[in-house]
Structures are given as structure tokens and as C-alpha cells.
Amino acid sequence: MSDVPFTLDQLRILKAIAAEGSFKRAADSLYVSQPAISLQVQNLERQLNVPLFDRGGRRAKLTEAGHLLLSYGEKILSLCQETCRAIEDLQNLQGGTLIVGASQTTGTYLLPRMIGLFRKQYPDVAVQLHVHSTRRTAWSVANGQIDLAIIGGEVPPELHESITVQPYIEDELALILPVFHRFAKQESIQKEDLYKLQFIALDSQSTIRKVIDQVLSRSNIDPRRLQIEMELNSIEAIKNTVQAGLGAAFVSTSAIEKELQMGVLHQAKIEGVIVRRMLSVIVNPNRYQSKAAEAFSRDILPQFSSHPLNLTREESVSQS
């Protein structure tokens, strides 16, 4: 390997600079000095005989050669991490790491309960939970940065051949109202009543907002006629705003269990309409699946699933 013109440390530095946008912030994130970072980049450029960064602007921008090296470098670093985790697995769950991903609502309300059960059975395994958008989560699974994930949105079309998507559980999206709202006294409301409400909603570009609009449309409810009083960027903010009497909202039932038990929110039933979305489990069948991931798939996922799962590596590979 003496003829390889870069080291793993140099690839880590390149990745950090690209992510942070500056040499100084990259140095801080890696706990080294900025001169040390600069020297490593200079050595790397000299070894490759190409510039990797445009020096003109305030932000560190990769050249075409820099983007190319970063693309391959991320794959190399990912394989190195995968190798280390495979070796850790020889200890048979007496250590190692499980990395789970999720989209926003699922990661906030469902995954913590699942991880808690897993930790009781396997206390020596470290668990990381990465909560991001469905798109970013899917790419992390495809790149091997996450073992498996539970998502509520659509996987990007370009990843359909790279990852396995399995239906997991139906998640009901509940209409919530302030407990003192006049509709809270009724057993159910009519579709037309929705147009009389003032809604608190997530941003129009969010996955859940799009899913809600699609499901309402299939139920002959026009989401464009709903009066959106306010758009917020978090479920917790929406729940608190509804509780304060400022409007109604659609949220996952998993997000309101505590509030319903405490009696601070009312879940309204809509005559003839149940708003549901499908949550899916995604894995990359072509990447190494750790014993921790296999244990999570075998022991934890079935406890919450409403669909049969086949997530062991051998089964997934045979299906792909």
C-alpha cells in the first residue's frame, strides 16, 4: 500500500473540511490545530499533484478533483468502519455499536421506546439514533452509515435498486383539537366541518404534510380548502399551539399518547375517514449487517410490526 498517495487521516480531514466549510471549523471538529490541517492538505495536494480546494473565497470549496476524491474517500472510510464493526462482532454482542435511522416523527416518538427495549436485552451494545429527513436517512442506509431505518416517506427513486424497503406498521394521523373546542363535545365530525377549522400545520414541504394532503385528497377532502392559520417546524410546537386553543392539527397518534392520557388534547373522529400512512423499514442488503442489527431486527422490530419482516442479511440478499 506504499504507492497509495493518501492516508485515511487525510481522507478524514478532507471530509471534515467539506462538511464544515472551513479549515478552522474542520480543525475544531477533529480536535487538531488549523496549521496541522493545512499542512495535511498541502501534502495531499502535492502527493496527488492536483489542487483540491479553490483558495479564492471565504468558504472552502472543493475543486472537481476534490469532489472526486471526497466521493471515493467517503466510500473508503465507510468500508473501514464496516470492517471494524465486523471484527467487533466476533465478541458476540459483548460490545459493538448499533446505528439506527429514522425520519422526524418516528425518530422522536417511536424509536426511543424500541431502543429502550433493546438496551435492556443488550446493555453492552452502544446505540446511535440518527434522526433526519426520509431522503437523507435513505442515503445514509445506502452508503452503509446506518444499519437500518424506519421511515414514513418515499425512498428516492435512484436508491430503489440499492436498498430493501419493507412495509412495517400503519401509523394513524389523528385530528387533534383543544379540549374546550365545541367539536370536542361531539362523537365525530363531518368532512365539511374540517373547512371551518383553523389549522396549525408543518411546513408545506415536509414529508408528513405531503402525506396528510395525499390521504385527505383520497378521502375526497380538498387540502387546499383547509384554513392554515400557522406553519410550524416541530410536532411539539404544534401540540402546544393546539393545546393553547389556537387551532387544530393532524399529528401521528404516537406523538400524542401522553397528552391524551393527561386529557390536555382531544382526538376528534372524522365520519368515514381514517388518515393513515405506512411506515417502512429500510436496509441495504449488500452491506455487512452487524450482529447488533440482526438482534434488533429479530428481537425488537417484530414487537411493533403489523407486517411480517424478513430482514436477516441472507434473506435480504436472496430477495434483491
Side-chain angles (χ1 to χ4, degrees):
M1 295 292 289
S2 59
D3 59 335
V4 176
F6 51 77
T7 66
L8 293 180
D9 281 339
Q10 288 172 330
L11 295 181
R12 291 190 188 97
I13 288 170
L14 180 72
K15 182 178 178 180
I17 297 172
E20 298 294 339
S22 79
F23 282 50
K24 183 180 185 305
R25 287 196 293 271
D28 292 341
S29 70
L30 296 173
Y31 302 101
V32 297
S33 67
Q34 184 174 340
I37 289 280
S38 299
L39 180 61
Q40 286 280 22
V41 172
Q42 291 171 12
N43 289 340
L44 181 57
E45 290 178 324
R46 184 171 60 253
Q47 290 156 199
L48 294 172
N49 196 30
V50 291
L52 299 174
F53 291 94
D54 290 324
R55 276 10 187 229
R58 295 177 60 185
R59 183 177 175 86
K61 292 185 178 180
L62 290 168
T63 62
E64 184 178 357
H67 280 293
L68 182 64
L69 180 60
L70 177 64
S71 175
Y72 281 98
E74 288 179 330
K75 295 177 184 177
I76 293 169
L77 293 172
S78 178
L79 283 173
C80 288
Q81 294 172 347
E82 191 173 302
T83 302
C84 292
R85 296 182 65 198
I87 293 173
E88 285 178 349
D89 270 352
L90 295 176
Q91 301 176 33
N92 194 28
L93 290 175
Q94 298 304 308
T97 304
L98 169 68
I99 306 177
V100 185
S103 47
Q104 294 291 339
T105 303
T106 309
T108 302
Y109 301 102
L110 177 61
L111 262 299
R113 293 162 55 192
M114 302 173 78
I115 290 172
L117 292 175
F118 180 80
R119 289 281 294 159
K120 287 181 180 179
Q121 294 188 44
Y122 304 102
D124 296 324
V125 177
V127 181
Q128 297 178 19
L129 173 59
H130 295 198
V131 180
H132 296 294
S133 67
T134 291
R135 181 177 182 84
R136 182 172 172 181
T137 299
W139 273 103
S140 294
V141 171
N143 293 333
Q145 298 166 322
I146 290 177
D147 291 318
L148 59 89
I150 302 176
I151 58 171
E154 295 292 328
V155 170
E158 60 268 30
L159 296 181
H160 286 175
E161 295 183 1
S162 303
I163 61 180
T164 298
V165 182
Q166 294 202 40
Y168 181 54
I169 188 172
E170 287 187 332
D171 178 34
E172 183 178 351
L173 297 165
L175 172 65
I176 57 172
L177 297 169
V179 292
F180 48 81
H181 194 281
R182 61 189 179 91
F183 285 161
K185 299 179 175 64
Q186 302 176 193
E187 288 190 12
S188 64
I189 65 174
Q190 302 301 310
K191 292 179 184 179
E192 288 297 321
D193 291 331
L194 294 174
Y195 305 128
K196 303 172 186 177
L197 296 171
Q198 293 180 318
F199 276 89
I200 314 299
L202 289 168
D203 180 85
S204 58
Q205 298 304 309
S206 70
T207 298
I208 301 176
R209 174 76 176 274
K210 292 177 181 178
V211 169
I212 292 171
D213 288 351
Q214 291 168 0
V215 174
L216 291 177
S217 295
R218 289 197 296 269
S219 302
N220 296 318
I221 297 170
D222 187 356
R224 294 171 298 181
R225 290 181 58 193
L226 299 181
Q227 302 178 47
I228 307 300
E229 179 74 12
M230 201 180 304
E231 288 187 344
L232 303 176
N233 64 358
S234 82
I235 299 297
E236 288 299 309
I238 287 176
K239 292 192 297 182
N240 290 334
T241 304
V242 173
Q243 186 177 332
L246 299 182
F250 282 102
V251 298
S252 168
T253 53
S254 65
I256 57 171
E257 291 181 0
K258 180 177 66 176
E259 286 79 8
L260 293 179
Q261 290 174 359
M262 295 172 61
V264 296
L265 285 174
H266 173 74
Q267 179 180 350
K269 302 297 183 182
I270 308 170
E271 188 71 33
V273 178
I274 298 178
V275 184
R276 289 195 181 108
R277 63 171 179 160
M278 178 60 68
L279 300 181
S280 300
V281 177
I282 58 174
V283 296
N284 184 338
N286 299 312
R287 302 300 294 245
Y288 175 79
Q289 188 176 47
S290 68
K291 290 187 182 298
E294 289 178 352
F296 189 83
S297 298
R298 181 186 64 244
D299 300 335
I300 305 302
L301 288 181
Q303 296 189 45
F304 296 81
S305 177
S306 58
H307 291 73
L309 291 171
N310 294 297
L311 293 172
T312 62
R313 186 171 188 273
E314 293 76 9
E315 290 170 321
S316 295
V317 171
S318 65
Q319 293 169 1
S320 62

